[in-house]
Amino acid sequence: MYWEIIGDDVWKFVRDAFVKGMFNPKAIEILIVLIPKIDNAKRMKYFIPISCCNVIHKLITKVLVNRLLHFSR
């Protein structure tokens, strides 16, 4: 919906990550959230860890996976 506003910046960021081989590490920080399986969970075994990645991280990862798949064929 907002691609017209941010599309060029997103494209440039992902492209530069592969051309230059570096980017701002803050852009791919991952937040790990613990979701309780039961009410009043008190032990780690009663939580499910969920990783919340931002869109830029997912785009770079997807491009890497697609490139690796291309080489493995």
Side-chain angles (χ1 to χ4, degrees):
M1 185 160 115
Y2 298 103
W3 189 252
E4 293 176 3
I5 298 170
I6 64 165
D8 289 338
D9 293 331
V10 170
W11 170 249
K12 184 180 181 310
F13 185 91
V14 174
R15 185 195 65 217
D16 287 351
F18 288 95
V19 171
K20 296 177 183 176
M22 62 172 52
F23 48 84
N24 183 346
K26 289 265 186 202
I28 62 165
E29 288 183 350
I30 298 173
L31 175 65
I32 304 294
V33 179
L34 297 175
I35 307 295
K37 296 179 188 177
I38 60 172
D39 290 336
N40 300 320
K42 294 183 180 175
R43 294 184 169 221
M44 286 302 294
K45 68 180 184 178
Y46 297 120
F47 291 91
I48 301 169
I50 303 292
S51 63
C52 301
C53 307
N54 68 33
V55 173
I56 294 290
H57 180 266
K58 290 179 183 181
L59 286 171
I60 292 171
T61 304
K62 185 73 170 177
V63 172
L64 279 171
V65 168
N66 286 337
R67 286 183 176 190
L68 290 171
L69 285 174
H70 179 72
F71 285 116
S72 68
R73 293 182 182 163

